[in-house]
PDB file of all heavy atoms in Angstrom:
ATOM      1  N   ALA A   1    -105.675 103.576  38.885  1.00 95.00           N
ATOM      2  CA  ALA A   1    -104.743 104.320  38.049  1.00 95.00           C
ATOM      3  C   ALA A   1    -103.944 105.247  39.011  1.00 95.00           C
ATOM      4  O   ALA A   1    -104.501 106.339  39.391  1.00 95.00           O
ATOM      5  CB  ALA A   1    -105.502 105.137  37.018  1.00 95.00           C
ATOM      6  N   LEU A   2    -102.792 104.886  39.408  1.00 96.00           N
ATOM      7  CA  LEU A   2    -101.951 105.660  40.323  1.00 96.00           C
ATOM      8  C   LEU A   2    -101.245 106.721  39.528  1.00 96.00           C
ATOM      9  O   LEU A   2    -100.333 106.425  38.774  1.00 96.00           O
ATOM     10  CB  LEU A   2    -101.036 104.785  41.069  1.00 96.00           C
ATOM     11  CG  LEU A   2    -101.669 103.724  42.028  1.00 96.00           C
ATOM     12  CD1 LEU A   2    -100.602 102.876  42.639  1.00 96.00           C
ATOM     13  CD2 LEU A   2    -102.523 104.447  43.152  1.00 96.00           C
ATOM     14  N   THR A   3    -101.636 107.948  39.698  1.00 96.00           N
ATOM     15  CA  THR A   3    -100.975 109.151  39.034  1.00 96.00           C
ATOM     16  C   THR A   3    -100.821 110.174  40.091  1.00 96.00           C
ATOM     17  O   THR A   3    -101.354 110.072  41.195  1.00 96.00           O
ATOM     18  CB  THR A   3    -101.923 109.687  37.909  1.00 96.00           C
ATOM     19  OG1 THR A   3    -102.998 110.333  38.477  1.00 96.00           O
ATOM     20  CG2 THR A   3    -102.436 108.566  36.992  1.00 96.00           C
ATOM     21  N   PRO A   4    -100.036 111.220  39.738  1.00 96.00           N
ATOM     22  CA  PRO A   4     -99.922 112.318  40.709  1.00 96.00           C
ATOM     23  C   PRO A   4    -101.280 112.960  41.058  1.00 96.00           C
ATOM     24  O   PRO A   4    -101.380 113.649  42.041  1.00 96.00           O
ATOM     25  CB  PRO A   4     -99.006 113.310  39.961  1.00 96.00           C
ATOM     26  CG  PRO A   4     -98.181 112.414  39.025  1.00 96.00           C
ATOM     27  CD  PRO A   4     -99.166 111.378  38.611  1.00 96.00           C
ATOM     28  N   GLY A   5    -102.255 112.758  40.228  1.00 97.00           N
ATOM     29  CA  GLY A   5    -103.525 113.343  40.486  1.00 97.00           C
ATOM     30  C   GLY A   5    -104.462 112.462  41.330  1.00 97.00           C
ATOM     31  O   GLY A   5    -105.546 112.978  41.789  1.00 97.00           O
ATOM     32  N   THR A   6    -104.076 111.216  41.582  1.00 97.00           N
ATOM     33  CA  THR A   6    -105.011 110.285  42.270  1.00 97.00           C
ATOM     34  C   THR A   6    -105.320 110.832  43.696  1.00 97.00           C
ATOM     35  O   THR A   6    -106.457 110.937  44.158  1.00 97.00           O
ATOM     36  CB  THR A   6    -104.455 108.891  42.290  1.00 97.00           C
ATOM     37  OG1 THR A   6    -104.234 108.495  40.901  1.00 97.00           O
ATOM     38  CG2 THR A   6    -105.389 107.869  42.960  1.00 97.00           C
ATOM     39  N   GLY A   7    -104.203 111.031  44.544  1.00 98.00           N
ATOM     40  CA  GLY A   7    -104.358 111.486  45.832  1.00 98.00           C
ATOM     41  C   GLY A   7    -105.202 112.783  45.996  1.00 98.00           C
ATOM     42  O   GLY A   7    -106.183 112.813  46.725  1.00 98.00           O
ATOM     43  N   PRO A   8    -104.873 113.797  45.196  1.00 98.00           N
ATOM     44  CA  PRO A   8    -105.606 114.995  45.274  1.00 98.00           C
ATOM     45  C   PRO A   8    -107.071 114.847  44.913  1.00 98.00           C
ATOM     46  O   PRO A   8    -107.905 115.483  45.515  1.00 98.00           O
ATOM     47  CB  PRO A   8    -104.915 115.966  44.288  1.00 98.00           C
ATOM     48  CG  PRO A   8    -103.465 115.486  44.310  1.00 98.00           C
ATOM     49  CD  PRO A   8    -103.601 113.980  44.431  1.00 98.00           C
ATOM     50  N   ALA A   9    -107.401 113.972  43.939  1.00 98.00           N
ATOM     51  CA  ALA A   9    -108.798 113.776  43.567  1.00 98.00           C
ATOM     52  C   ALA A   9    -109.596 113.110  44.696  1.00 98.00           C
ATOM     53  O   ALA A   9    -110.708 113.539  44.986  1.00 98.00           O
ATOM     54  CB  ALA A   9    -108.922 112.896  42.314  1.00 98.00           C
ATOM     55  N   VAL A  10    -108.964 112.175  45.404  1.00 98.00           N
ATOM     56  CA  VAL A  10    -109.641 111.568  46.512  1.00 98.00           C
ATOM     57  C   VAL A  10    -109.795 112.559  47.656  1.00 98.00           C
ATOM     58  O   VAL A  10    -110.771 112.587  48.369  1.00 98.00           O
ATOM     59  CB  VAL A  10    -108.935 110.255  46.947  1.00 98.00           C
ATOM     60  CG1 VAL A  10    -109.567 109.625  48.206  1.00 98.00           C
ATOM     61  CG2 VAL A  10    -108.929 109.212  45.771  1.00 98.00           C
ATOM     62  N   ARG A  11    -108.757 113.353  47.888  1.00 98.00           N
ATOM     63  CA  ARG A  11    -108.855 114.402  48.956  1.00 98.00           C
ATOM     64  C   ARG A  11    -110.005 115.394  48.685  1.00 98.00           C
ATOM     65  O   ARG A  11    -110.620 115.842  49.576  1.00 98.00           O
ATOM     66  CB  ARG A  11    -107.530 115.099  49.122  1.00 98.00           C
ATOM     67  CG  ARG A  11    -106.518 114.269  49.906  1.00 98.00           C
ATOM     68  CD  ARG A  11    -105.190 115.041  50.235  1.00 98.00           C
ATOM     69  NE  ARG A  11    -104.202 114.095  50.553  1.00 98.00           N
ATOM     70  CZ  ARG A  11    -103.444 113.424  49.695  1.00 98.00           C
ATOM     71  NH1 ARG A  11    -103.503 113.667  48.425  1.00 98.00           N
ATOM     72  NH2 ARG A  11    -102.547 112.522  50.199  1.00 98.00           N
ATOM     73  N   ALA A  12    -110.197 115.666  47.403  1.00 98.00           N
ATOM     74  CA  ALA A  12    -111.268 116.588  47.050  1.00 98.00           C
ATOM     75  C   ALA A  12    -112.639 115.984  47.362  1.00 98.00           C
ATOM     76  O   ALA A  12    -113.534 116.687  47.840  1.00 98.00           O
ATOM     77  CB  ALA A  12    -111.276 116.890  45.558  1.00 98.00           C
ATOM     78  N   LEU A  13    -112.755 114.612  47.272  1.00 98.00           N
ATOM     79  CA  LEU A  13    -113.963 113.945  47.750  1.00 98.00           C
ATOM     80  C   LEU A  13    -114.120 114.053  49.201  1.00 98.00           C
ATOM     81  O   LEU A  13    -115.223 114.214  49.749  1.00 98.00           O
ATOM     82  CB  LEU A  13    -113.896 112.498  47.294  1.00 98.00           C
ATOM     83  CG  LEU A  13    -113.841 112.224  45.795  1.00 98.00           C
ATOM     84  CD1 LEU A  13    -113.591 110.821  45.484  1.00 98.00           C
ATOM     85  CD2 LEU A  13    -115.157 112.735  45.099  1.00 98.00           C
ATOM     86  N   ALA A  14    -113.017 114.005  49.983  1.00 98.00           N
ATOM     87  CA  ALA A  14    -113.089 114.175  51.431  1.00 98.00           C
ATOM     88  C   ALA A  14    -113.699 115.545  51.863  1.00 98.00           C
ATOM     89  O   ALA A  14    -114.345 115.710  52.828  1.00 98.00           O
ATOM     90  CB  ALA A  14    -111.713 114.022  52.068  1.00 98.00           C
ATOM     91  N   ASP A  15    -113.381 116.554  50.929  1.00 97.00           N
ATOM     92  CA  ASP A  15    -113.905 117.886  51.217  1.00 97.00           C
ATOM     93  C   ASP A  15    -115.386 117.969  51.211  1.00 97.00           C
ATOM     94  O   ASP A  15    -116.048 118.930  51.737  1.00 97.00           O
ATOM     95  CB  ASP A  15    -113.331 118.938  50.232  1.00 97.00           C
ATOM     96  CG  ASP A  15    -111.894 119.168  50.384  1.00 97.00           C
ATOM     97  OD1 ASP A  15    -111.287 118.799  51.476  1.00 97.00           O
ATOM     98  OD2 ASP A  15    -111.233 119.685  49.393  1.00 97.00           O
ATOM     99  N   LEU A  16    -116.053 117.004  50.561  1.00 98.00           N
ATOM    100  CA  LEU A  16    -117.535 116.911  50.615  1.00 98.00           C
ATOM    101  C   LEU A  16    -118.105 116.586  52.009  1.00 98.00           C
ATOM    102  O   LEU A  16    -119.290 116.784  52.276  1.00 98.00           O
ATOM    103  CB  LEU A  16    -118.004 115.787  49.623  1.00 98.00           C
ATOM    104  CG  LEU A  16    -117.757 116.027  48.086  1.00 98.00           C
ATOM    105  CD1 LEU A  16    -118.050 114.729  47.414  1.00 98.00           C
ATOM    106  CD2 LEU A  16    -118.541 117.177  47.578  1.00 98.00           C
ATOM    107  N   ARG A  17    -117.250 115.958  52.836  1.00 98.00           N
ATOM    108  CA  ARG A  17    -117.660 115.506  54.178  1.00 98.00           C
ATOM    109  C   ARG A  17    -118.922 114.674  54.131  1.00 98.00           C
ATOM    110  O   ARG A  17    -119.920 114.992  54.761  1.00 98.00           O
ATOM    111  CB  ARG A  17    -117.815 116.734  55.096  1.00 98.00           C
ATOM    112  CG  ARG A  17    -116.570 117.559  55.279  1.00 98.00           C
ATOM    113  CD  ARG A  17    -116.634 118.399  56.515  1.00 98.00           C
ATOM    114  NE  ARG A  17    -115.351 119.239  56.594  1.00 98.00           N
ATOM    115  CZ  ARG A  17    -114.241 118.729  57.026  1.00 98.00           C
ATOM    116  NH1 ARG A  17    -114.141 117.476  57.314  1.00 98.00           N
ATOM    117  NH2 ARG A  17    -113.166 119.518  57.082  1.00 98.00           N
ATOM    118  N   PRO A  18    -118.858 113.566  53.349  1.00 98.00           N
ATOM    119  CA  PRO A  18    -120.085 112.707  53.253  1.00 98.00           C
ATOM    120  C   PRO A  18    -120.439 112.081  54.625  1.00 98.00           C
ATOM    121  O   PRO A  18    -119.608 111.898  55.460  1.00 98.00           O
ATOM    122  CB  PRO A  18    -119.627 111.688  52.210  1.00 98.00           C
ATOM    123  CG  PRO A  18    -118.191 111.710  52.188  1.00 98.00           C
ATOM    124  CD  PRO A  18    -117.774 113.058  52.621  1.00 98.00           C
ATOM    125  N   GLU A  19    -121.681 111.800  54.728  1.00 98.00           N
ATOM    126  CA  GLU A  19    -122.166 111.124  55.884  1.00 98.00           C
ATOM    127  C   GLU A  19    -121.999 109.582  55.768  1.00 98.00           C
ATOM    128  O   GLU A  19    -121.915 108.878  56.819  1.00 98.00           O
ATOM    129  CB  GLU A  19    -123.738 111.393  56.063  1.00 98.00           C
ATOM    130  CG  GLU A  19    -124.079 112.795  56.344  1.00 98.00           C
ATOM    131  CD  GLU A  19    -123.646 113.215  57.706  1.00 98.00           C
ATOM    132  OE1 GLU A  19    -123.721 112.390  58.620  1.00 98.00           O
ATOM    133  OE2 GLU A  19    -123.142 114.310  57.908  1.00 98.00           O
ATOM    134  N   ALA A  20    -121.969 109.140  54.582  1.00 98.00           N
ATOM    135  CA  ALA A  20    -121.806 107.694  54.275  1.00 98.00           C
ATOM    136  C   ALA A  20    -121.028 107.476  53.017  1.00 98.00           C
ATOM    137  O   ALA A  20    -121.099 108.275  52.074  1.00 98.00           O
ATOM    138  CB  ALA A  20    -123.124 106.951  54.214  1.00 98.00           C
ATOM    139  N   LEU A  21    -120.305 106.339  52.943  1.00 98.00           N
ATOM    140  CA  LEU A  21    -119.623 105.939  51.746  1.00 98.00           C
ATOM    141  C   LEU A  21    -120.209 104.686  51.263  1.00 98.00           C
ATOM    142  O   LEU A  21    -120.186 103.613  51.922  1.00 98.00           O
ATOM    143  CB  LEU A  21    -118.100 105.705  51.999  1.00 98.00           C
ATOM    144  CG  LEU A  21    -117.310 106.864  52.502  1.00 98.00           C
ATOM    145  CD1 LEU A  21    -115.865 106.417  52.892  1.00 98.00           C
ATOM    146  CD2 LEU A  21    -117.319 108.028  51.573  1.00 98.00           C
ATOM    147  N   ALA A  22    -120.921 104.705  50.155  1.00 97.00           N
ATOM    148  CA  ALA A  22    -121.573 103.499  49.581  1.00 97.00           C
ATOM    149  C   ALA A  22    -120.522 102.834  48.677  1.00 97.00           C
ATOM    150  O   ALA A  22    -120.240 103.349  47.580  1.00 97.00           O
ATOM    151  CB  ALA A  22    -122.837 103.852  48.801  1.00 97.00           C
ATOM    152  N   LEU A  23    -119.991 101.787  49.121  1.00 93.00           N
ATOM    153  CA  LEU A  23    -118.932 101.056  48.428  1.00 93.00           C
ATOM    154  C   LEU A  23    -119.506 100.017  47.466  1.00 93.00           C
ATOM    155  O   LEU A  23    -120.317  99.203  47.859  1.00 93.00           O
ATOM    156  CB  LEU A  23    -117.963 100.408  49.447  1.00 93.00           C
ATOM    157  CG  LEU A  23    -117.578 101.242  50.674  1.00 93.00           C
ATOM    158  CD1 LEU A  23    -116.637 100.464  51.609  1.00 93.00           C
ATOM    159  CD2 LEU A  23    -116.948 102.535  50.196  1.00 93.00           C
ATOM    160  N   MET A  24    -119.035 100.052  46.253  1.00 88.00           N
ATOM    161  CA  MET A  24    -119.536  99.072  45.264  1.00 88.00           C
ATOM    162  C   MET A  24    -119.137  97.664  45.579  1.00 88.00           C
ATOM    163  O   MET A  24    -119.868  96.731  45.486  1.00 88.00           O
ATOM    164  CB  MET A  24    -118.985  99.433  43.823  1.00 88.00           C
ATOM    165  CG  MET A  24    -119.614  98.530  42.784  1.00 88.00           C
ATOM    166  SD  MET A  24    -119.015  98.711  41.079  1.00 88.00           S
ATOM    167  CE  MET A  24    -119.178 100.494  40.881  1.00 88.00           C
ATOM    168  N   HIS A  25    -117.865  97.536  46.050  1.00 85.00           N
ATOM    169  CA  HIS A  25    -117.370  96.206  46.428  1.00 85.00           C
ATOM    170  C   HIS A  25    -117.081  96.156  47.927  1.00 85.00           C
ATOM    171  O   HIS A  25    -116.006  95.884  48.335  1.00 85.00           O
ATOM    172  CB  HIS A  25    -116.048  95.840  45.611  1.00 85.00           C
ATOM    173  CG  HIS A  25    -116.284  95.933  44.117  1.00 85.00           C
ATOM    174  ND1 HIS A  25    -116.982  94.940  43.478  1.00 85.00           N
ATOM    175  CD2 HIS A  25    -115.938  96.886  43.187  1.00 85.00           C
ATOM    176  CE1 HIS A  25    -117.000  95.169  42.121  1.00 85.00           C
ATOM    177  NE2 HIS A  25    -116.420  96.356  41.941  1.00 85.00           N
ATOM    178  N   GLY A  26    -118.117  96.346  48.663  1.00 86.00           N
ATOM    179  CA  GLY A  26    -117.981  96.371  50.061  1.00 86.00           C
ATOM    180  C   GLY A  26    -119.216  97.000  50.733  1.00 86.00           C
ATOM    181  O   GLY A  26    -120.186  97.288  50.013  1.00 86.00           O
ATOM    182  N   PRO A  27    -119.251  97.161  52.051  1.00 91.00           N
ATOM    183  CA  PRO A  27    -120.428  97.605  52.710  1.00 91.00           C
ATOM    184  C   PRO A  27    -120.571  99.169  52.652  1.00 91.00           C
ATOM    185  O   PRO A  27    -119.661  99.845  52.174  1.00 91.00           O
ATOM    186  CB  PRO A  27    -120.173  97.229  54.200  1.00 91.00           C
ATOM    187  CG  PRO A  27    -118.705  97.301  54.306  1.00 91.00           C
ATOM    188  CD  PRO A  27    -118.183  96.771  52.979  1.00 91.00           C
ATOM    189  N   VAL A  28    -121.694  99.695  53.057  1.00 96.00           N
ATOM    190  CA  VAL A  28    -121.789 101.076  53.341  1.00 96.00           C
ATOM    191  C   VAL A  28    -121.116 101.415  54.584  1.00 96.00           C
ATOM    192  O   VAL A  28    -121.360 100.762  55.669  1.00 96.00           O
ATOM    193  CB  VAL A  28    -123.334 101.455  53.406  1.00 96.00           C
ATOM    194  CG1 VAL A  28    -123.513 102.944  53.760  1.00 96.00           C
ATOM    195  CG2 VAL A  28    -124.010 101.244  52.033  1.00 96.00           C
ATOM    196  N   PHE A  29    -120.176 102.387  54.483  1.00 97.00           N
ATOM    197  CA  PHE A  29    -119.389 102.740  55.667  1.00 97.00           C
ATOM    198  C   PHE A  29    -120.021 104.039  56.258  1.00 97.00           C
ATOM    199  O   PHE A  29    -120.140 105.070  55.581  1.00 97.00           O
ATOM    200  CB  PHE A  29    -117.946 103.000  55.225  1.00 97.00           C
ATOM    201  CG  PHE A  29    -117.102 103.584  56.338  1.00 97.00           C
ATOM    202  CD1 PHE A  29    -116.736 102.803  57.436  1.00 97.00           C
ATOM    203  CD2 PHE A  29    -116.668 104.918  56.266  1.00 97.00           C
ATOM    204  CE1 PHE A  29    -115.936 103.358  58.478  1.00 97.00           C
ATOM    205  CE2 PHE A  29    -115.847 105.480  57.313  1.00 97.00           C
ATOM    206  CZ  PHE A  29    -115.512 104.711  58.412  1.00 97.00           C
ATOM    207  N   ARG A  30    -120.332 103.943  57.523  1.00 97.00           N
ATOM    208  CA  ARG A  30    -120.671 105.143  58.328  1.00 97.00           C
ATOM    209  C   ARG A  30    -119.668 105.237  59.477  1.00 97.00           C
ATOM    210  O   ARG A  30    -119.488 104.359  60.257  1.00 97.00           O
ATOM    211  CB  ARG A  30    -122.054 104.880  58.911  1.00 97.00           C
ATOM    212  CG  ARG A  30    -123.181 105.058  57.879  1.00 97.00           C
ATOM    213  CD  ARG A  30    -124.534 105.240  58.566  1.00 97.00           C
ATOM    214  NE  ARG A  30    -125.538 105.592  57.627  1.00 97.00           N
ATOM    215  CZ  ARG A  30    -125.804 106.813  57.184  1.00 97.00           C
ATOM    216  NH1 ARG A  30    -125.086 107.865  57.637  1.00 97.00           N
ATOM    217  NH2 ARG A  30    -126.738 107.020  56.322  1.00 97.00           N
ATOM    218  N   GLY A  31    -119.015 106.280  59.478  1.00 97.00           N
ATOM    219  CA  GLY A  31    -117.957 106.565  60.426  1.00 97.00           C
ATOM    220  C   GLY A  31    -117.314 107.880  60.009  1.00 97.00           C
ATOM    221  O   GLY A  31    -117.953 108.742  59.473  1.00 97.00           O
ATOM    222  N   ASP A  32    -116.056 108.010  60.267  1.00 98.00           N
ATOM    223  CA  ASP A  32    -115.262 109.174  59.864  1.00 98.00           C
ATOM    224  C   ASP A  32    -114.907 109.088  58.419  1.00 98.00           C
ATOM    225  O   ASP A  32    -113.810 108.629  58.017  1.00 98.00           O
ATOM    226  CB  ASP A  32    -114.053 109.324  60.786  1.00 98.00           C
ATOM    227  CG  ASP A  32    -113.425 110.700  60.581  1.00 98.00           C
ATOM    228  OD1 ASP A  32    -113.700 111.389  59.647  1.00 98.00           O
ATOM    229  OD2 ASP A  32    -112.586 111.100  61.491  1.00 98.00           O
ATOM    230  N   THR A  33    -115.826 109.355  57.593  1.00 98.00           N
ATOM    231  CA  THR A  33    -115.659 109.304  56.141  1.00 98.00           C
ATOM    232  C   THR A  33    -114.609 110.176  55.636  1.00 98.00           C
ATOM    233  O   THR A  33    -113.843 109.824  54.698  1.00 98.00           O
ATOM    234  CB  THR A  33    -116.992 109.592  55.350  1.00 98.00           C
ATOM    235  OG1 THR A  33    -117.409 110.910  55.688  1.00 98.00           O
ATOM    236  CG2 THR A  33    -118.128 108.570  55.763  1.00 98.00           C
ATOM    237  N   THR A  34    -114.429 111.379  56.165  1.00 98.00           N
ATOM    238  CA  THR A  34    -113.414 112.341  55.694  1.00 98.00           C
ATOM    239  C   THR A  34    -112.029 111.701  56.001  1.00 98.00           C
ATOM    240  O   THR A  34    -111.112 111.796  55.180  1.00 98.00           O
ATOM    241  CB  THR A  34    -113.627 113.687  56.480  1.00 98.00           C
ATOM    242  OG1 THR A  34    -114.873 114.195  56.103  1.00 98.00           O
ATOM    243  CG2 THR A  34    -112.572 114.667  55.999  1.00 98.00           C
ATOM    244  N   ALA A  35    -111.847 111.166  57.204  1.00 98.00           N
ATOM    245  CA  ALA A  35    -110.581 110.557  57.504  1.00 98.00           C
ATOM    246  C   ALA A  35    -110.341 109.398  56.586  1.00 98.00           C
ATOM    247  O   ALA A  35    -109.202 109.173  56.177  1.00 98.00           O
ATOM    248  CB  ALA A  35    -110.557 110.131  58.970  1.00 98.00           C
ATOM    249  N   ALA A  36    -111.358 108.594  56.333  1.00 98.00           N
ATOM    250  CA  ALA A  36    -111.149 107.378  55.460  1.00 98.00           C
ATOM    251  C   ALA A  36    -110.725 107.798  54.105  1.00 98.00           C
ATOM    252  O   ALA A  36    -109.805 107.204  53.551  1.00 98.00           O
ATOM    253  CB  ALA A  36    -112.443 106.575  55.373  1.00 98.00           C
ATOM    254  N   LEU A  37    -111.336 108.833  53.555  1.00 98.00           N
ATOM    255  CA  LEU A  37    -110.969 109.265  52.172  1.00 98.00           C
ATOM    256  C   LEU A  37    -109.532 109.827  52.204  1.00 98.00           C
ATOM    257  O   LEU A  37    -108.727 109.573  51.313  1.00 98.00           O
ATOM    258  CB  LEU A  37    -111.980 110.354  51.710  1.00 98.00           C
ATOM    259  CG  LEU A  37    -113.290 109.658  51.197  1.00 98.00           C
ATOM    260  CD1 LEU A  37    -114.360 110.771  51.173  1.00 98.00           C
ATOM    261  CD2 LEU A  37    -113.156 109.066  49.843  1.00 98.00           C
ATOM    262  N   THR A  38    -109.227 110.585  53.260  1.00 98.00           N
ATOM    263  CA  THR A  38    -107.949 111.152  53.336  1.00 98.00           C
ATOM    264  C   THR A  38    -106.834 110.111  53.501  1.00 98.00           C
ATOM    265  O   THR A  38    -105.738 110.106  52.855  1.00 98.00           O
ATOM    266  CB  THR A  38    -107.806 112.159  54.500  1.00 98.00           C
ATOM    267  OG1 THR A  38    -108.856 113.117  54.381  1.00 98.00           O
ATOM    268  CG2 THR A  38    -106.426 112.760  54.687  1.00 98.00           C
ATOM    269  N   GLU A  39    -107.078 109.083  54.308  1.00 98.00           N
ATOM    270  CA  GLU A  39    -106.203 107.926  54.459  1.00 98.00           C
ATOM    271  C   GLU A  39    -106.081 107.161  53.205  1.00 98.00           C
ATOM    272  O   GLU A  39    -104.958 106.669  52.901  1.00 98.00           O
ATOM    273  CB  GLU A  39    -106.669 107.035  55.616  1.00 98.00           C
ATOM    274  CG  GLU A  39    -106.499 107.688  57.021  1.00 98.00           C
ATOM    275  CD  GLU A  39    -107.219 106.816  58.137  1.00 98.00           C
ATOM    276  OE1 GLU A  39    -107.190 105.551  57.927  1.00 98.00           O
ATOM    277  OE2 GLU A  39    -107.642 107.458  59.105  1.00 98.00           O
ATOM    278  N   LEU A  40    -107.101 106.994  52.494  1.00 98.00           N
ATOM    279  CA  LEU A  40    -106.984 106.250  51.222  1.00 98.00           C
ATOM    280  C   LEU A  40    -106.162 107.060  50.220  1.00 98.00           C
ATOM    281  O   LEU A  40    -105.309 106.471  49.542  1.00 98.00           O
ATOM    282  CB  LEU A  40    -108.418 106.017  50.537  1.00 98.00           C
ATOM    283  CG  LEU A  40    -108.444 105.275  49.255  1.00 98.00           C
ATOM    284  CD1 LEU A  40    -107.967 103.808  49.549  1.00 98.00           C
ATOM    285  CD2 LEU A  40    -109.884 105.228  48.649  1.00 98.00           C
ATOM    286  N   ALA A  41    -106.365 108.383  50.201  1.00 98.00           N
ATOM    287  CA  ALA A  41    -105.497 109.243  49.314  1.00 98.00           C
ATOM    288  C   ALA A  41    -104.055 109.132  49.738  1.00 98.00           C
ATOM    289  O   ALA A  41    -103.134 108.979  48.917  1.00 98.00           O
ATOM    290  CB  ALA A  41    -105.999 110.731  49.374  1.00 98.00           C
TER     291      ALA A  41
END
């Protein structure tokens, strides 16, 4: 659902600074999770 709130909501998740991203339709990502969330936003 692409709305004006989508990017900011994903950036708020980046603020959590997770150690890993457990993807439902993909692998568990360990790397620069903050950058990945920001780039997705």
Side-chain angles (χ1 to χ4, degrees):
L2 297 174
T3 73
T6 304
V10 176
R11 284 185 195 88
L13 297 171
D15 291 343
L16 295 169
R17 301 198 179 285
E19 295 291 321
L21 302 175
L23 314 180
M24 184 184 308
H25 301 287
V28 173
F29 172 71
R30 287 197 170 274
D32 192 342
T33 61
T34 301
L37 286 159
T38 302
E39 289 172 31
L40 184 64

